[in-house]
Each structure stands twice: as structure tokens, then as C-alpha cells.
Amino acid sequence: MRPGRISKVLAAAAVVALSLAACTPTPPAPTETTAVPTAVEGGNLTVLENTAFTSFNPTSVTGNSLTNSRIASATHSGFNSVDSALNIVKNEQFGKYEKVKDDPLTIKYTINSGVQWSDGAPVTADDLFLEWAAASGYFNDATLDANFAVKSGTAYFHSAGDNSGLARTAIPVISDDRASLTLSYTSPFSDWETALGSTVSVPAHIVAVRAGLKDAESLTTLLKSMEKGDPAKPAAVNPTLRKVADFWNTGFDTKAMPDPTLALSNGPFLVNGITADKELILTRNLDYTWGAAPKLDTLTVHYENDPDKQVVALEDQTADVISPAVTAERIAALTALQDKGVALQQGQGLGFDQVVLNFKGVLADPTLRSAFLHTVPRQEIVDQVAKPLDPKAEVLNSFVFRPAQIPYKESARSNGVDTYSVPAVDATATPAPDQAKELLDGAKPTVRILYNSGDPERVKEYSLIAAAATKAGFVVTDAGKGADQWLDSLKDGAFDVALYGWTSNPTGSVQVPQVFRTGGISNLNNFSNTVVDQLTEQLALNPDMAKQNALKMQIDRLVIEAGYGLPLFQRTALSASGQHATGVAYSPLALGPWQSVAQWAYVK
């Protein structure tokens, strides 16, 4: 995974409302009451997003943005989704998928009759085939340089997602009635359930016609005729596939309302109008019957990148739903508006902060790594940084599990993180932990601490950690960089200690190898451990959840024992709704309040 580019999502418990009846001998005397606002069927709500909508294909590199993904979630559907408790929820009104066999791992997807695009064309296995082609990288034979530029060969589809799972698959098989697609993996894959078809967002029949083909079936025929790409033996560019891929890559990008065929929906809402950089209008899809029907007639999406102006808009009732960046001051401002009908949806998100040590440079010495980690005042960081945002915040004690997940407590008890439980450090009086001084044995190594100096929470984290490390004997260099520079420094390895966060995937295990495997795409601190490499390979291959959790617990322990770093705390997820909105629910997912969009309703 990468900072800011990983599939993003965490959990909260489901709440069940129980109604109890009781009888009284005599009804109480009537009392004066104020009329309670009630939700009505239909109506409009206005939502503020940080950035403008730019693409109807959120899975492409150019279309991959939070706003685009949120709009896609309201306008498209698929075989499953992830709920707020991080459970995979099947949508059998859309279709069914089943594991046909384990060896080789074979999955059959079947789309229900009646599921259709908003132009009346059915959603078929051809749409799934195109999704597979783009997400698997099957036809690409390009060799890329360190900056992901093509050195040789051809990169047809530019998909923003991780293809490590679908890259293990063979050409799919489509049924004669075009309703089913069967996918076989050449080796097992743990996250097969969400690898394909969770959301079907690109209509194959439109891509086909735009590339000069007759229809979706012709597109599938073309794809089936192609050989698997081999970077060691790149083939000549296929001009028709190049047209198909080019249109998939950028043909759905737009800042204004396009030809309606490029704005097709198979979900609860339709995009009905776009004014560039100003607003987007969603209307109810009256033909949608394969999922929860929305309660609103329309949704108006406006753009505001200033989170404080979002709060003002909610107060002024020019906006009904917002999800601003979280600060203690912003939470206080929203809380003060509760008497005006503003409701907060707040809880733990999937993002978490961490301290990570570079295994090259001064901290290549495991004794120095251990010494530094013994100085990190995690509880004080939680008290001063996390709790002002969430009074229930606690120290995070695992790199691979979140507290809402069942294995978290067991892993936290056994992974050795309690070795680094240190008392709070008072910058003026309290001495640093004795263990760190003993390990340093009089040495005074210099460490560069990298962080985003534009993030006030990271600035606080740095000051607390620097003070504690200095007391123990480290010479601390402030290597903080601005918001537009720190990530490049992280990728360049210009640090000994780095303070940054990840956003966890809501389900599955594919992100663990990305971070902890030697040379992994998100291994930014030169961590390398042969046993961890072996375990991550087993993890990627094992579809059994219990065995996945056992492997992840081993990885969690080995990573902490090696002095990789320390998890700090989970970040808070926040949205807020005004007095005319109801049904807006907390979600730890990147979708935020949009996860509950089908339940949103207008209140008079």
C-alpha cells in the first residue's frame, strides 16, 4: 500500500434497536410537545466534497480520487460491499458468486436477469471480462523504470488498483448466455472474494463502440484472442486493444456533463448534470431494483476544499452533509451546532499513525533501534494528540490488526509491543526510560526524524518523541518537510525515523505483503526479514481466514521484534449532517457518509 493510495477502510459494531412494550394502569396526562421533524420520501440534500468530480472511471490512474469513488458508489453496484463492521456483505439481488473448487481456485460469477445499465443494456459477463482485463494487467508486457515510466513493451490498461491477485488468473470463461463468468487462479489467492466484481463501473458495450468494435461480445472476442503479455518478450502493439485500453484509461474523464452514454449507471442514482468545478446533480434511478432503493429524489454535490468553510455551510444550511478533515477545533465547532440540529457521525477510521525506523543508516544497528523505540512515549502521544480528537482513543498495539477485528487482542498480548510501554515524558523533569540509556551505554547517535510539518498532529508527535529521545541520549535532527515535500523524502529514504500513517484495507490480507515483504511496493524503510517474506507468501496464497489470521499474528510479532517501529493510534473518521438530513451514518471506510447514501432522507 501507499500513503493516500490504498484502498481505505475500518470498523465499528452494528447497533440493533430493541423496542420494549409496557402497560400502565392509566394513561398520563397530555403534555405540550414540540413537533418532531419527520423524514419525507423524495426531496434533495446538498453534499460538500473537498475536490471536484473528474471521471466516471474511478479505477483508472487518472480517475482515482475520493470524490470520483464516492460518486461511483452511489451510481454503481456489484456482487458485494463492505459494511461498517468490515464484513463482506453479498448483494444477491445483483447476482451470485461461488467457489467452484479449491484446486485450482475457481470462482463462478452469475449476474441476475434484469440487472441493467441506465441505457437499458443488460449488465453481462462481458462487463466483468473487461474489468478483469483492466485490473489483472494480463495483456501488459511493459517494463517500467523506478518512476513507473515505460522503458520497453506496452502498458495497455492503467489501473490504479493492486493487481497481485488477478495477475494469478487465466483467461476467464464466459457462458453462452453471457450471464456468467468463471475465473480460475493459477495459484491460490487469499483475497479472491473482493478481487473482482464488487462494483461493476465501466460498461463494456460503450468501450467497445468507442474503440470501433461492434459490441461488448466483439470486445470479449478480441481479448480472448490475445496472448498473455510477457515483459521479457514484448510483442508489437495491437492497435485495436490500444484503442480499447486508451478509452478505458481516459475516455471517461470529464469535468462537464458528457455524452450520456459515458455517464451510465447500474446503481441507485444517475448523474444528471455537471457544472465544471462547481456542482454535480444525482437523480434517483427509477429502474434500480437490485439493491436498497434510495429515499431521495436528488442529491446536489458542491465542492469546498476549506474544511472550516464546510462547517460554516452546515451552520448556514447551504449544505446538509460534510466530511471535513478532523481537528479538535473543528469537532468543537460542530459539537456547538448540535442545538441547531447538526449531528456528528464520528468513530475510529482505518487510518493509523506510526513510528517507522529505517533499516539503513545509523539505525541499521538493532541495539540502537531498540533503544530508540524504548523512548517513544506512546501513551502521552495518545493523550495529547489523539484524545482531543476522540476521547475514547487508545494506544494502538498492532501493525496488522485494528481493535475492531477479533484477532487484535490476542495479537497485542503476544506480539511483544508491551516491551516498549514507557511512561509519559515531561519535557522539563521526567527522565527518559532507563532501558534506552542502558542500551545506548553512553553513545549519542544522531537521528533524523521525518514528518509532515504541515500536519499539526504530526508536529506534536515529533516534539514529544524528540524530547524523549534527546533525554535518553540521542541527538535529534528535525527533518520535517512541508506537505508537498515530505512524501518524496520518505520515498527517497532521507530519514532515520519517520512519522506517517497508512490507511488499512477494510478486508483481506494483500496489503501486508506490500508493506513488510522485502522490496514490497510500500516497504519504504528497507525492512527485510526472510521469515516474514516466507509468511507473506503463504498469506497471499491461503484463502482460509483462520489460517490468514494465524500468519498475520506471526508477522506482527516478528516485525515488532525486529524493531520495525511502533504503531501509535487510529485516526478519527468524521462526518456531520444538518437539520434537514437524516439517515447519515458513521463509517470508517473511505466512502465515509456515502456508505449510507441509500438511507439518507430529507427532513422538512
Side-chain angles (χ1 to χ4, degrees):
M1 17 182 212
R2 303 178 184 174
R5 275 199 60 180
I6 309 167
S7 319
K8 301 179 176 183
V9 234
L10 215 272
V15 178
V16 179
L18 302 177
S19 65
L20 302 177
C23 54
T24 54
T26 352
T31 57
E32 292 186 2
T33 60
T34 303
V36 178
T38 56
V40 298
E41 189 73 17
N44 173 79
L45 291 177
T46 298
V47 190
L48 292 186
E49 289 298 315
N50 294 331
T51 59
F53 177 84
T54 61
S55 181
F56 286 94
N57 183 4
T59 58
S60 70
V61 168
T62 58
N64 184 233
S65 78
L66 182 57
T67 298
N68 294 344
S69 296
R70 287 178 166 183
I71 300 303
S73 73
T75 55
H76 296 88
S77 55
F79 289 97
N80 59 36
S81 61
V82 179
D83 67 15
S84 291
L86 303 190
N87 298 310
I88 295 173
V89 180
K90 295 180 179 181
N91 179 12
E92 296 193 344
Q93 292 177 274
F94 180 91
K96 296 181 180 181
Y97 58 94
E98 58 181 328
K99 186 194 296 184
V100 177
K101 56 183 174 180
D102 288 309
D103 188 15
L105 177 62
T106 305
I107 314 301
K108 183 179 181 181
Y109 302 84
T110 303
I111 301 166
N112 291 342
S113 176
V115 177
Q116 64 183 32
W117 295 100
S118 48
D119 64 352
V123 177
T124 69
D126 296 297
D127 297 306
L128 289 179
F129 202 111
L130 176 59
E131 181 179 334
W132 168 84
S136 66
Y138 187 89
F139 303 106
N140 296 342
D141 59 15
T143 298
L144 307 179
D145 64 19
N147 296 315
F148 303 101
V150 176
K151 292 171 59 179
S152 62
T154 305
Y156 287 103
F157 293 99
H158 302 162
S159 174
D162 174 78
N163 72 349
S164 60
L166 292 179
R168 304 168 185 261
T169 58
I171 287 273
V173 175
I174 288 183
S175 62
D176 291 341
D177 63 1
R178 325 301 292 181
S180 296
L181 177 143
T182 301
L183 188 62
S184 297
Y185 287 78
T186 55
S187 60
F189 180 57
S190 60
D191 294 356
W192 63 267
E193 197 167 359
T194 53
L196 183 73
S198 290
T199 302
V200 181
S201 55
V202 176
H205 65 292
I206 299 301
V207 174
V209 171
R210 292 300 180 115
L213 296 168
K214 179 183 177 182
D215 52 25
E217 188 171 345
S218 300
L219 172 54
T220 299
T221 299
L222 167 71
L223 295 173
K224 290 172 69 175
S225 72
M226 296 285 297
E227 297 290 331
K228 180 178 174 64
D230 182 359
K233 298 178 181 179
V237 175
N238 181 295
T240 307
L241 181 58
R242 178 77 279 171
K243 288 181 181 179
V244 168
D246 284 347
F247 193 82
W248 187 93
N249 292 335
T250 61
F252 293 93
D253 295 354
T254 182
K255 289 190 174 182
M257 190 65 195
D259 179 322
T261 61
L262 302 183
L264 296 186
S265 164
N266 60 26
F269 287 95
L270 308 166
V271 175
N272 199 39
I274 304 175
T275 303
D277 298 318
K278 183 180 179 182
E279 73 174 16
L280 179 145
I281 305 296
L282 293 169
T283 58
R284 188 196 309 225
N285 182 359
L286 298 177
D287 295 325
Y288 179 72
T289 58
W290 46 92
K295 301 178 184 302
L296 296 169
D297 286 332
T298 61
L299 271 170
T300 302
V301 182
H302 288 165
Y303 314 120
E304 178 54 70
N305 62 11
D306 185 330
D308 293 318
K309 289 183 180 179
Q310 289 190 20
V311 175
V312 171
L314 198 64
E315 180 179 15
D316 293 344
Q317 299 183 35
T318 55
D320 299 299
V321 182
I322 64 173
S323 47
V326 183
T327 65
E329 294 76 16
R330 217 158 279 139
I331 290 174
L334 288 168
T335 301
L337 296 176
Q338 287 180 318
D339 60 352
K340 296 184 178 180
V342 168
L344 277 68
Q345 300 86 38
Q346 184 180 0
Q348 291 184 328
L350 285 176
F352 67 95
D353 282 28
Q354 60 182 352
V355 177
V356 174
L357 308 187
N358 196 340
F359 277 60
K360 288 185 178 179
V362 64
L363 295 182
D365 183 337
T367 300
L368 294 185
R369 289 200 300 273
S370 182
F372 188 87
L373 294 177
H374 275 297
T375 73
V376 178
R378 295 198 302 151
Q379 185 60 57
E380 189 169 13
I381 289 170
V382 169
D383 291 342
Q384 294 195 29
V385 180
K387 285 193 174 181
L389 305 179
D390 179 6
K392 297 179 180 179
E394 296 180 347
V395 172
L396 182 64
N397 287 317
S398 172
F399 275 116
V400 300
F401 297 110
R402 303 286 75 80
Q405 297 172 309
I406 292 174
Y408 172 79
K409 289 183 179 179
E410 184 178 352
S411 192
R413 283 194 300 266
S414 61
N415 62 16
V417 72
D418 56 355
T419 302
Y420 300 107
S421 297
V422 299
V425 175
D426 185 315
T428 61
T430 308
D434 291 339
Q435 299 99 316
K437 286 187 174 182
E438 290 174 6
L439 289 166
L440 286 176
D441 193 24
K444 294 186 177 296
T446 298
V447 293
R448 300 163 297 163
I449 302 182
L450 172 67
Y451 61 99
N452 177 2
S453 59
D455 183 333
E457 276 70 44
R458 296 273 159 72
V459 172
K460 291 178 187 176
E461 291 171 18
Y462 166 76
S463 64
L464 292 168
I465 291 171
T470 300
K471 282 183 175 293
F474 286 93
V475 177
V476 175
T477 299
D478 185 343
K481 301 288 185 182
D484 58 346
Q485 296 177 310
W486 76 270
L487 186 55
D488 287 338
S489 294
L490 181 66
K491 292 177 179 178
D492 292 341
F495 66 93
D496 300 303
V497 179
L499 309 177
Y500 62 97
W502 285 128
T503 299
S504 303
N505 284 350
T507 63
S509 302
V510 70
Q511 66 187 31
V512 176
Q514 292 174 359
V515 175
F516 299 117
R517 185 173 53 212
T518 302
I521 192 171
S522 298
N523 185 336
L524 303 175
N525 64 324
N526 303 296
F527 174 73
S528 180
N529 183 292
T530 55
V531 179
V532 170
D533 289 346
Q534 294 167 7
L535 293 173
T536 57
E537 182 61 25
Q538 294 176 43
L539 183 63
L541 297 174
N542 202 315
D544 183 272
M545 182 61 69
K547 292 179 180 177
Q548 285 185 48
N549 287 335
L551 290 166
K552 286 195 281 189
M553 287 177 66
Q554 292 181 64
I555 293 168
D556 204 21
R557 177 177 55 80
L558 289 168
V559 164
I560 289 171
E561 285 180 353
Y564 177 92
L566 286 171
L568 297 175
F569 62 89
Q570 284 182 258
R571 289 255 171 168
T572 297
L574 175 71
S575 62
S577 51
Q579 62 177 323
H580 293 297
T582 188
V584 183
Y586 152 78
S587 172
L589 306 181
L591 291 178
W594 285 83
Q595 187 187 20
S596 57
V597 70
Q599 285 73 52
W600 293 5
Y602 175 76
V603 176
K604 285 186 176 180

